[in-house]
Amino acid sequence: MESLLEVKDLKVHFPITKGILSRTAGYVYAVDGVSFKLAPGETLGIVGESGCGKTTTGLAILHLIDPTDGQVIFQGKEIARNTKQERLTLRREMQIIFQDPYSSLNPRMTLNRTLADPMKIHGLYNGPERLERVAYLLEKVGLTPEQGRRYPHEFSGGQRQRIGVARALALNPQVIIGDEPVSALDVSIQAQIINLLIDLQDEFNLSYIIISHDLAVVEYICDKIAVMYLGKIVEMSDYRDIYTRPKHPYTQALLSAVPVPDLNAKSKRIILGGDVPSPINPPTGCRFHPRCPHRMDICPREEPQLKNLGDDHWVACHLH
C-alpha cells in the first residue's frame, strides 16, 4: 500500500548554551534518526518511557518544532521544501490532539469560536456555513450545538477532550496526531474517547499517530506499533506481533509490566536495572546496553541497525 506519510531519519537536537555569549556546549539528542511510514486509514502507535522522544517526534512531523535533519514526506512531497502557502494548506491536512484538554483551549473563546476560527483562517465556508459545520462537529463528538456558546471552564475534562477532537476535525484533515490523548482522563472516560476516535476514523478515513505510554490503550486502537528508546525506534511491527512475539529486550520489559486482568495468570516481570541514560550524552553502541539483561561484548561498540526480520517486523538489536 502506498504511504500517505513517510518519515526518514528524522532528528531533533536541542542546543545547550552556556556563558555570556551563549556558546553551544552540547546537544540534547531528543530524536536521533526515526523512520517509519503511515498508510491511509492506518493507526501507528508510538510508545516508550517518558523522555524517549515520542512527543518531540510528533511535533517535528507537524513542523511545530523544526527538525535538525531528516525528511517528512506527505503525499510524496517533502514538507521542508514547501512554499509558505503550501505549508498553510498542509496545516489543514495534518492536525494534533494535545495531551491536556484544558491548557490547549483558549479560556476567553466560546466553543463556537474555537471551532470556527480555523475555518476562517483557511477560508473555508462562509459565515452561516461555518456555524452549520460547528454544529455538525459538536454532534459528531457527542456534544450539542447549544453548548457551542459556552466557555472551556464550563466543561468536564472528557468534554474538553471531545472539543479537542472536534477542533482537529474542523479542517477535514487526513492525518491526526494524538499526543497522549486520553492520559489526563479517568479510565471510564478514556474508553469513550478511544471508541470515539475509532468511529471517526472509520467515517472520515483518517490516519492516526497515537503517542502514548499506556500499552493497553495502544493495543486497542493501533494497527502498528513503534517502540522508542532514547530517541530511536528499537522495534516496530503489527500490534499482534509486538504483543505476542516481542523481539527487543526493552519491548519485552515494557510488556511484562502490563497488568493482566486474570488472577490465575502467571506473568514474569522483567525488572530493568539502572536509570534511563541522559539524552545529552547517550551511551555508545546500542543505547539500551547499560540496562539490557542480554548485553553482549558487541553492544557497547556497535550500534544495531533497524532490520526487517520478516513479515514487516523491524528490530534494532544484536541478538537478531
Side-chain angles (χ1 to χ4, degrees), residues 137-197:
L137 291 172
L138 291 176
E139 291 177 342
K140 280 296 176 186
V141 298
L143 300 174
T144 64
E146 291 73 23
Q147 291 175 304
R149 294 187 291 271
R150 299 182 184 177
Y151 290 86
H153 72 272
E154 300 179 77
F155 295 92
S156 67
Q159 288 175 321
R160 289 176 195 144
Q161 197 59 297
R162 290 177 185 272
I163 297 169
V165 173
R167 182 176 58 183
L169 288 171
L171 302 178
N172 296 312
Q174 296 188 55
V175 176
I176 292 180
I177 297 177
D179 181 17
E180 303 271 10
V182 297
S183 65
L185 308 176
D186 293 337
V187 175
S188 59
I189 306 301
Q190 286 184 6
Q192 295 176 19
I193 299 299
I194 291 169
N195 288 328
L196 172 65
L197 292 173

Side-chain angles (χ1 to χ4, degrees), residues 28-201:
V28 177
Y29 299 93
V31 179
D32 200 24
V34 166
S35 300
F36 61 81
K37 295 180 181 180
L38 183 71
E42 185 178 49
T43 301
L44 170 69
I46 302 179
V47 302
E49 293 171 285
S50 296
C52 71
K54 307 185 300 293
T55 295
T56 305
T57 298
L59 295 176
I61 290 171
L62 296 173
H63 276 249
L64 296 177
I65 293 176
D66 288 331
T68 305
D69 199 2
Q71 296 176 296
V72 179
I73 301 170
F74 181 74
Q75 291 183 325
K77 189 169 184 179
E78 187 178 352
I79 293 175
R81 296 183 179 179
N82 287 352
T83 64
K84 185 176 180 180
Q85 183 58 42
E86 287 174 333
R87 285 201 184 190
L88 182 63
T89 303
L90 182 67
R91 295 287 184 194
R92 293 168 46 183
E93 304 293 350
M94 301 171 68
Q95 294 289 308
I96 186 170
I97 302 170
F98 292 100
Q99 178 177 357
D100 186 346
Y102 188 67
S103 64
S104 64
L105 298 172
N106 189 329
R108 295 183 177 86
M109 291 171 61
T110 63
L111 181 49
N112 281 338
R113 186 178 170 191
T114 296
L115 298 182
D117 272 8
M119 305 178 202
K120 183 178 180 180
I121 291 170
H122 287 270
L124 298 178
Y125 316 110
N126 57 33
E129 288 177 339
R130 285 185 198 129
L131 290 178
E132 290 178 8
R133 174 71 177 171
V134 168
Y136 170 77
L137 291 172
L138 291 176
E139 291 177 342
K140 280 296 176 186
V141 298
L143 300 174
T144 64
E146 291 73 23
Q147 291 175 304
R149 294 187 291 271
R150 299 182 184 177
Y151 290 86
H153 72 272
E154 300 179 77
F155 295 92
S156 67
Q159 288 175 321
R160 289 176 195 144
Q161 197 59 297
R162 290 177 185 272
I163 297 169
V165 173
R167 182 176 58 183
L169 288 171
L171 302 178
N172 296 312
Q174 296 188 55
V175 176
I176 292 180
I177 297 177
D179 181 17
E180 303 271 10
V182 297
S183 65
L185 308 176
D186 293 337
V187 175
S188 59
I189 306 301
Q190 286 184 6
Q192 295 176 19
I193 299 299
I194 291 169
N195 288 328
L196 172 65
L197 292 173
I198 293 173
D199 292 340
L200 293 172
Q201 183 176 35

